[in-house]
Amino acid sequence: PVMMLTAKDSELDKVRALDGGADDYLSKPFGMMELVSRTRALLRRAGRSSDSMPERKALSVENLTLWPDRREATIDGEPLSLTMREFDLLEFLMRSPGVVFSRETLLQRVWGWDFDGGSRTVDVHVQQIRAKLGDSSDLIETVRGVGYRMREE
């Protein structure tokens, strides 16, 4: 679904947008409740309401399992209590087991381009995740002078 959010509010602008493929058109100013409601309606019409969206597959490496859609992780079947950033970092590494990522790449992909911290932020988060993994802390491997990777099964 495509929703146009714009300051243009003439009838001609709306007709052009809708004829050009937009599914909905919302002119500024608009309220957040209206935006959320229109978004829900678009997703419903497209058959993609949050109730009907398929859950993404769980990610597993050995005894570690992560469900991205539920934002849950377990180690040996026991729940892991992860912060938002720890979860995002773990998910990113688990999506590409065996691939080495530099600290800079991890900062850009997990923290975002506008993050102003140093690369040691990654080290601290990896250390915290490893502590939570306990005996399975070696699932996240350090590649000296390069960065980190999730161990392949």
Side-chain angles (χ1 to χ4, degrees), residues 86-97:
E86 289 168 352
F87 186 93
D88 293 343
L89 177 57
L90 188 57
E91 178 184 2
F92 185 81
L93 290 170
M94 288 182 76
R95 287 195 179 280
S96 302

Side-chain angles (χ1 to χ4, degrees), residues 34-139:
E34 180 182 9
L35 175 61
V36 170
S37 183
R38 284 175 177 264
T39 302
R40 267 193 243 119
L42 275 175
L43 292 173
R44 240 186 347 265
R45 287 194 299 269
R48 290 194 197 156
S49 70
S50 57
D51 298 335
S52 68
M53 287 186 76
E55 185 172 308
R56 285 187 298 185
K57 202 169 145 183
L59 304 171
S60 292
V61 175
E62 295 186 19
N63 57 340
L64 174 63
T65 305
L66 184 136
W67 293 269
D69 289 346
R70 298 189 318 207
R71 295 200 60 86
E72 293 175 3
T74 60
I75 188 80
D76 291 323
E78 294 295 317
L80 274 177
S81 177
L82 299 170
T83 66
M84 181 184 78
R85 199 63 75 193
E86 289 168 352
F87 186 93
D88 293 343
L89 177 57
L90 188 57
E91 178 184 2
F92 185 81
L93 290 170
M94 288 182 76
R95 287 195 179 280
S96 302
V99 177
V100 180
F101 294 101
S102 69
R103 288 170 180 84
E104 290 74 25
T105 298
L106 292 170
L107 279 171
Q108 290 170 359
R109 298 284 185 84
V110 177
W111 278 262
W113 289 98
D114 57 348
F115 180 72
D116 203 20
S119 65
R120 290 295 171 214
T121 301
V122 175
D123 299 336
V124 170
H125 280 77
V126 167
Q127 181 182 9
Q128 291 169 338
I129 294 169
R130 283 177 172 160
K132 292 177 181 183
L133 292 175
D135 293 339
S136 299
S137 63
D138 60 343
L139 287 174

